[in-house]
Amino acid sequence: MELLKPYRARIDALDDKIVDLLVERAGIIAEVGHLKAREGIPAILQDRVDQVRERNAARAAEKGLDPDLVRALYAMLIQWSCDLEEQIKADKAA
């Protein structure tokens, strides 16, 4: 629908930025994974996992976004990040 075209373009532009930020975040996670592998640090540090998830849920709530949605998104993102770190550690150990 032509009426929705400008909104879709704005959403697409935001989605592009979100993906770019996720790629940047993944690069940092990979750096951390190599550091944890070298230093023998576990991939999952539950205190940090909880801190990241809850900090972002609180920030979402402050901005009027459903904190449960953000918790769910971050749970998935954090799990993927921990899996990446575990894979990096396994590859270094092999």
Side-chain angles (χ1 to χ4, degrees):
M1 296 183 80
E2 198 62 32
L3 179 66
L4 297 177
K5 192 173 184 178
Y7 298 97
R8 289 176 175 166
R10 289 169 54 200
I11 290 169
D12 289 349
L14 286 172
D15 287 343
D16 290 347
K17 290 178 185 178
I18 290 169
V19 170
D20 290 346
L21 290 171
L22 289 170
V23 168
E24 183 178 349
R25 189 181 198 281
I28 296 168
I29 295 298
E31 291 177 34
V32 170
H34 289 287
L35 176 68
K36 285 181 175 181
R38 188 180 73 229
E39 300 296 324
I41 299 169
I44 299 172
L45 300 171
Q46 194 60 50
D47 288 348
R48 177 63 178 157
V49 167
D50 297 341
Q51 177 190 39
V52 169
R53 188 187 59 245
E54 292 308 313
R55 182 183 80 80
N56 286 290
R59 187 160 186 263
E62 289 170 6
K63 294 184 171 284
L65 185 61
D66 181 356
D68 290 332
L69 168 65
V70 172
R71 277 188 193 94
L73 291 169
Y74 269 85
M76 185 183 303
L77 181 59
I78 290 167
Q79 184 61 56
W80 182 88
S81 298
C82 291
D83 291 348
L84 176 60
E85 289 180 8
E86 289 284 6
Q87 185 60 53
I88 289 167
K89 289 179 75 174
D91 290 349
K92 289 226 179 244

